[in-house]
Amino acid sequence: MPPPALQRPMGFRYLDRIATKENIHAFLELADLAAGAGASANNVFLLSHRLRQSRPMQVCRALLGRDPAAAALIEQRRLSGPYDAPALRALPKGTLGHTYATVLETMGYDINFFPKPEFYANLETDADYINYRVYATHDIHHIVSGFSLDNFGELGVISMSVAQFAHPGLAFTDLMALLLNWFRNDTPIDELETPAEQARTASYAFGMISKGLHIGVEAQPLFPVIWEERMGQDLEELRAELGVTAVREGTFSWYANPSLVAALAA
């Protein structure tokens, strides 16, 4: 006599409702964009744009709406930059502006590399503006937090925004980094010799995400900070005011890059 048919647990029945063909297709499209983020930042920009009408974006907008300064900024649609790199480098050493311009110049990065309003539907909706501002201020968050501007510190800095207002594009990037690193690594992290190898593990990704989440929770809201008005402020004073404890050691900190330290000291 055959055994009785097993009843599926209620949790698996719920999966039937979310794992539809349409949902799986949408997820794979987003996952493909997230996977290509290391090759092109445009993938991340487009990923966030795809999520502009999503339920996670509704949550993000609601969280930002609780902060009067953030809500006012969204309402105003205030633009960021463009930044005058030579003018910022001419500011006194130790200021946000001098540090920002010097670090990006030393690394060969364009200080005005972020999507223009037209990329985000000319900031038609609140979600479009949120996406625009997140990426327009992203590199400044690197400078303030101390997280390096390469793959070693990227998950740390984006997790600050996830902690503060659950930005969907960055949250999805965090989740995919954990998943992809988990799949592609087959060696315990303590057996890997180089930082580059360690950075490709789920353990490293989890550590960076955790550090960024902690800094974001402890800090004052960063979204509404008018950075253009803070460029002449001493970076350490600014961090203290914002409650940001910068990372200063390890490959995930830009302070560990000798060329950046030398350029800032020159």
Side-chain angles (χ1 to χ4, degrees):
M1 181 176 179
L6 296 176
Q7 293 295 314
R8 298 177 67 191
M10 187 61 69
F12 291 110
R13 294 179 184 177
Y14 171 72
L15 289 178
D16 288 340
R17 297 200 298 270
I18 62 174
T20 64
K21 182 181 295 186
E22 293 78 12
N23 285 348
I24 291 174
H25 179 72
F27 171 80
L28 291 177
E29 284 188 340
L30 295 175
D32 187 55
L33 288 172
S40 173
N42 285 324
N43 284 42
V44 181
F45 303 155
L46 184 55
L47 168 64
S48 293
H49 189 59
R50 293 278 183 89
L51 291 169
R52 66 198 286 259
Q53 296 179 329
S54 65
R55 291 182 178 179
M57 178 53 85
Q58 294 175 22
V59 173
C60 173
R61 176 64 184 89
L63 290 171
L64 286 169
R66 294 176 181 177
D67 178 5
L73 193 61
I74 294 170
E75 180 68 24
Q76 296 165 8
R77 299 289 199 268
R78 176 167 177 156
L79 300 183
S80 298
Y83 298 104
D84 184 339
L88 292 179
R89 287 198 308 274
L91 291 171
K93 291 182 182 180
T95 60
L96 170 63
H98 179 268
T99 306
Y100 180 36
T102 302
V103 167
L104 265 65
E105 180 187 48
T106 303
M107 297 191 71
Y109 292 173
D110 179 0
I111 200 170
N112 290 306
F113 177 72
F114 49 85
K116 302 298 186 287
E118 51 265 31
F119 182 92
Y120 289 121
N122 291 315
L123 313 184
E124 179 180 290
T125 67
D126 290 351
D128 292 317
Y129 179 76
I130 291 168
N131 283 334
Y132 164 80
R133 183 160 184 81
V134 161
Y135 294 113
T137 60
H138 178 75
D139 285 342
I140 298 177
H141 286 194
H142 274 287
I143 300 303
V144 174
S145 67
F147 282 114
S148 61
L149 288 84
D150 54 26
N151 289 338
F152 294 116
E154 193 60 42
L155 288 177
V157 78
I158 70 176
S159 297
M160 293 165 55
S161 294
V162 174
Q164 292 206 336
F165 51 92
H167 184 262
L170 299 184
F172 191 88
T173 301
D174 270 350
L175 293 172
M176 288 306 302
L178 278 173
L179 181 61
L180 294 174
N181 285 336
W182 179 66
F183 270 117
R184 70 185 176 186
N185 183 259
D186 59 1
T187 306
I189 190 170
D190 59 0
E191 296 180 14
L192 298 173
E193 296 182 358
T194 69
E197 292 174 328
Q198 294 173 356
R200 294 172 63 85
T201 65
S203 295
Y204 183 91
F206 185 81
M208 287 300 96
I209 292 170
S210 297
K211 286 181 184 294
L213 291 175
H214 177 75
I215 293 173
V217 168
E218 295 295 320
Q220 296 295 313
L222 300 180
F223 183 91
V225 176
I226 307 302
W227 300 107
E228 290 84 351
E229 298 176 357
R230 304 300 191 99
M231 290 298 174
Q233 187 171 353
D234 180 81
L235 180 55
E236 296 304 329
E237 292 180 0
L238 178 59
R239 286 169 172 162
E241 178 185 336
L242 297 175
V244 173
T245 302
V247 293
R248 300 176 182 276
E249 297 178 347
T251 54
F252 50 83
S253 171
W254 57 259
Y255 284 98
N257 185 324
S259 63
L260 298 183
V261 173
L264 290 169

mmCIF file with all atom_site columns, all heavy atoms in Angstrom, residues 48 65 96 119 144 196 232 244 252:
data_model
loop_
_atom_site.group_PDB
_atom_site.id
_atom_site.type_symbol
_atom_site.label_atom_id
_atom_site.label_alt_id
_atom_site.label_comp_id
_atom_site.label_asym_id
_atom_site.label_entity_id
_atom_site.label_seq_id
_atom_site.pdbx_PDB_ins_code
_atom_site.Cartn_x
_atom_site.Cartn_y
_atom_site.Cartn_z
_atom_site.occupancy
_atom_site.B_iso_or_equiv
_atom_site.pdbx_formal_charge
_atom_site.auth_seq_id
_atom_site.auth_comp_id
_atom_site.auth_asym_id
_atom_site.auth_atom_id
_atom_site.pdbx_PDB_model_num
ATOM 1  N N   . SER A 1 48  ? 18.088 50.684 -9.815  1.00 0.00 ? 48  SER A N   1
ATOM 2  C CA  . SER A 1 48  ? 17.265 51.534 -8.953  1.00 0.00 ? 48  SER A CA  1
ATOM 3  C C   . SER A 1 48  ? 16.096 52.135 -9.730  1.00 0.00 ? 48  SER A C   1
ATOM 4  O O   . SER A 1 48  ? 14.989 52.263 -9.196  1.00 0.00 ? 48  SER A O   1
ATOM 5  C CB  . SER A 1 48  ? 18.115 52.648 -8.338  1.00 0.00 ? 48  SER A CB  1
ATOM 6  O OG  . SER A 1 48  ? 19.057 52.102 -7.435  1.00 0.00 ? 48  SER A OG  1
ATOM 7  N N   . GLY A 1 65  ? 10.071 60.399 4.512   1.00 0.00 ? 65  GLY A N   1
ATOM 8  C CA  . GLY A 1 65  ? 9.038  61.375 4.820   1.00 0.00 ? 65  GLY A CA  1
ATOM 9  C C   . GLY A 1 65  ? 8.901  61.675 6.297   1.00 0.00 ? 65  GLY A C   1
ATOM 10 O O   . GLY A 1 65  ? 8.311  62.694 6.683   1.00 0.00 ? 65  GLY A O   1
ATOM 11 N N   . LEU A 1 96  ? 36.195 68.808 4.118   1.00 0.00 ? 96  LEU A N   1
ATOM 12 C CA  . LEU A 1 96  ? 35.486 67.824 3.298   1.00 0.00 ? 96  LEU A CA  1
ATOM 13 C C   . LEU A 1 96  ? 35.793 68.049 1.822   1.00 0.00 ? 96  LEU A C   1
ATOM 14 O O   . LEU A 1 96  ? 36.099 67.099 1.094   1.00 0.00 ? 96  LEU A O   1
ATOM 15 C CB  . LEU A 1 96  ? 33.977 67.922 3.543   1.00 0.00 ? 96  LEU A CB  1
ATOM 16 C CG  . LEU A 1 96  ? 33.088 67.122 2.584   1.00 0.00 ? 96  LEU A CG  1
ATOM 17 C CD1 . LEU A 1 96  ? 33.357 65.630 2.713   1.00 0.00 ? 96  LEU A CD1 1
ATOM 18 C CD2 . LEU A 1 96  ? 31.616 67.442 2.805   1.00 0.00 ? 96  LEU A CD2 1
ATOM 19 N N   . PHE A 1 119 ? 18.085 61.110 -16.658 1.00 0.00 ? 119 PHE A N   1
ATOM 20 C CA  . PHE A 1 119 ? 18.172 59.653 -16.519 1.00 0.00 ? 119 PHE A CA  1
ATOM 21 C C   . PHE A 1 119 ? 17.041 59.145 -15.637 1.00 0.00 ? 119 PHE A C   1
ATOM 22 O O   . PHE A 1 119 ? 16.498 58.060 -15.852 1.00 0.00 ? 119 PHE A O   1
ATOM 23 C CB  . PHE A 1 119 ? 19.534 59.268 -15.929 1.00 0.00 ? 119 PHE A CB  1
ATOM 24 C CG  . PHE A 1 119 ? 19.734 57.777 -15.803 1.00 0.00 ? 119 PHE A CG  1
ATOM 25 C CD1 . PHE A 1 119 ? 20.336 57.064 -16.825 1.00 0.00 ? 119 PHE A CD1 1
ATOM 26 C CD2 . PHE A 1 119 ? 19.333 57.079 -14.664 1.00 0.00 ? 119 PHE A CD2 1
ATOM 27 C CE1 . PHE A 1 119 ? 20.524 55.687 -16.727 1.00 0.00 ? 119 PHE A CE1 1
ATOM 28 C CE2 . PHE A 1 119 ? 19.523 55.714 -14.557 1.00 0.00 ? 119 PHE A CE2 1
ATOM 29 C CZ  . PHE A 1 119 ? 20.120 55.019 -15.588 1.00 0.00 ? 119 PHE A CZ  1
ATOM 30 N N   . VAL A 1 144 ? 33.091 60.601 3.848   1.00 0.00 ? 144 VAL A N   1
ATOM 31 C CA  . VAL A 1 144 ? 32.675 60.814 5.235   1.00 0.00 ? 144 VAL A CA  1
ATOM 32 C C   . VAL A 1 144 ? 32.808 59.541 6.060   1.00 0.00 ? 144 VAL A C   1
ATOM 33 O O   . VAL A 1 144 ? 33.230 59.583 7.224   1.00 0.00 ? 144 VAL A O   1
ATOM 34 C CB  . VAL A 1 144 ? 31.229 61.348 5.278   1.00 0.00 ? 144 VAL A CB  1
ATOM 35 C CG1 . VAL A 1 144 ? 30.720 61.437 6.716   1.00 0.00 ? 144 VAL A CG1 1
ATOM 36 C CG2 . VAL A 1 144 ? 31.153 62.717 4.620   1.00 0.00 ? 144 VAL A CG2 1
ATOM 37 N N   . ALA A 1 196 ? 41.906 40.457 -2.004  1.00 0.00 ? 196 ALA A N   1
ATOM 38 C CA  . ALA A 1 196 ? 41.045 40.331 -3.179  1.00 0.00 ? 196 ALA A CA  1
ATOM 39 C C   . ALA A 1 196 ? 40.275 39.020 -3.143  1.00 0.00 ? 196 ALA A C   1
ATOM 40 O O   . ALA A 1 196 ? 39.089 38.960 -3.499  1.00 0.00 ? 196 ALA A O   1
ATOM 41 C CB  . ALA A 1 196 ? 41.872 40.429 -4.455  1.00 0.00 ? 196 ALA A CB  1
ATOM 42 N N   . GLY A 1 232 ? 33.634 73.401 3.008   1.00 0.00 ? 232 GLY A N   1
ATOM 43 C CA  . GLY A 1 232 ? 34.701 74.095 3.715   1.00 0.00 ? 232 GLY A CA  1
ATOM 44 C C   . GLY A 1 232 ? 34.825 73.700 5.169   1.00 0.00 ? 232 GLY A C   1
ATOM 45 O O   . GLY A 1 232 ? 35.681 74.230 5.888   1.00 0.00 ? 232 GLY A O   1
ATOM 46 N N   . VAL A 1 244 ? 29.109 60.094 12.731  1.00 0.00 ? 244 VAL A N   1
ATOM 47 C CA  . VAL A 1 244 ? 29.704 59.063 11.876  1.00 0.00 ? 244 VAL A CA  1
ATOM 48 C C   . VAL A 1 244 ? 31.061 58.654 12.435  1.00 0.00 ? 244 VAL A C   1
ATOM 49 O O   . VAL A 1 244 ? 31.958 59.496 12.574  1.00 0.00 ? 244 VAL A O   1
ATOM 50 C CB  . VAL A 1 244 ? 29.875 59.567 10.428  1.00 0.00 ? 244 VAL A CB  1
ATOM 51 C CG1 . VAL A 1 244 ? 30.644 58.544 9.593   1.00 0.00 ? 244 VAL A CG1 1
ATOM 52 C CG2 . VAL A 1 244 ? 28.524 59.854 9.805   1.00 0.00 ? 244 VAL A CG2 1
ATOM 53 N N   . PHE A 1 252 ? 39.255 47.789 3.391   1.00 0.00 ? 252 PHE A N   1
ATOM 54 C CA  . PHE A 1 252 ? 37.975 48.414 3.070   1.00 0.00 ? 252 PHE A CA  1
ATOM 55 C C   . PHE A 1 252 ? 37.938 49.890 3.423   1.00 0.00 ? 252 PHE A C   1
ATOM 56 O O   . PHE A 1 252 ? 36.901 50.539 3.272   1.00 0.00 ? 252 PHE A O   1
ATOM 57 C CB  . PHE A 1 252 ? 36.835 47.685 3.787   1.00 0.00 ? 252 PHE A CB  1
ATOM 58 C CG  . PHE A 1 252 ? 37.069 47.479 5.260   1.00 0.00 ? 252 PHE A CG  1
ATOM 59 C CD1 . PHE A 1 252 ? 36.800 48.470 6.177   1.00 0.00 ? 252 PHE A CD1 1
ATOM 60 C CD2 . PHE A 1 252 ? 37.563 46.274 5.711   1.00 0.00 ? 252 PHE A CD2 1
ATOM 61 C CE1 . PHE A 1 252 ? 37.022 48.283 7.531   1.00 0.00 ? 252 PHE A CE1 1
ATOM 62 C CE2 . PHE A 1 252 ? 37.792 46.069 7.065   1.00 0.00 ? 252 PHE A CE2 1
ATOM 63 C CZ  . PHE A 1 252 ? 37.517 47.071 7.977   1.00 0.00 ? 252 PHE A CZ  1
#
